[in-house]
Amino acid sequence: MSVIESSAAHFTISEVAALTGLSAHTLRWYERIGLMPHVDRSHTGQRRFSQRDLDWLAFVGKLRLTGMPVAGMVRYAELIREGDHTRDERRELLESTRRDVLARIGELQDALAVLDIKIGHYGTTDGTTSGGSTS
């Protein structure tokens, strides 16, 4: 049975690096700056990541894709650790990030439209434009 098949599995830092695509250095840095919640340790001091840790890292990966600054991600993690009374602040942080993502999507859609127009000027591979004439 592989470690991934076990529901109670703990993962080493190299296994987590392989599963997430993050380097061991990045995982240690995330822990050091407070982005990772407390990572369990074995009796020898080796990090033992849980499935919950992997789920958190997947979420952090999504936050990274949104362009959220690391400081914002760390702040979100701190708010979670502070407890339920921070729910409103957490929600606002995520809503603000969502607004930023929507604005970025709009910018990318505009850029895509310009690219489509430019590509249309070059015509198809057979030398005709989308209207059927040659370029």
Side-chain angles (χ1 to χ4, degrees):
M1 174 169 78
S2 76
V3 234
I4 297 171
E5 294 171 354
S6 172
S7 61
H10 283 88
F11 305 89
T12 66
I13 197 164
S14 58
E15 289 169 332
V16 173
L19 289 168
T20 63
L22 297 169
S23 69
H25 175 78
T26 298
L27 293 166
R28 288 184 200 100
W29 180 65
Y30 279 5
E31 186 179 10
R32 189 169 51 253
I33 65 172
L35 186 52
M36 282 294 300
H38 172 72
V39 176
D40 191 28
R41 303 278 180 142
S42 70
H43 68 283
T44 61
Q46 184 180 32
R47 288 172 181 84
R48 294 170 28 134
F49 294 85
S50 66
Q51 183 59 52
R52 185 174 181 178
D53 294 327
L54 291 178
D55 294 343
W56 173 254
L57 287 169
F59 178 66
V60 167
K62 297 299 183 197
L63 292 179
R64 288 177 57 217
L65 286 174
T66 70
M68 179 187 272
V70 172
M73 291 184 270
V74 170
R75 178 65 184 142
Y76 185 80
E78 289 169 347
L79 290 170
I80 288 173
R81 286 190 293 273
E82 289 175 22
D84 264 356
H85 69 280
T86 65
R87 288 177 60 91
D88 290 342
E89 192 174 347
R90 283 182 273 159
R91 181 183 176 108
E92 177 50 39
L93 184 59
L94 294 178
E95 286 176 346
S96 173
T97 300
R98 185 179 190 280
R99 288 189 296 272
D100 293 344
V101 167
L102 288 171
R104 182 70 178 134
I105 288 170
E107 292 168 354
L108 290 171
Q109 287 173 329
D110 290 345
L112 181 61
V114 170
L115 287 173
D116 288 343
I117 291 168
K118 288 295 187 183
I119 290 168
H121 290 305
Y122 287 99
T124 63
T125 55
D126 67 2
T128 62
T129 61
S130 58
S133 64
T134 58
S135 29

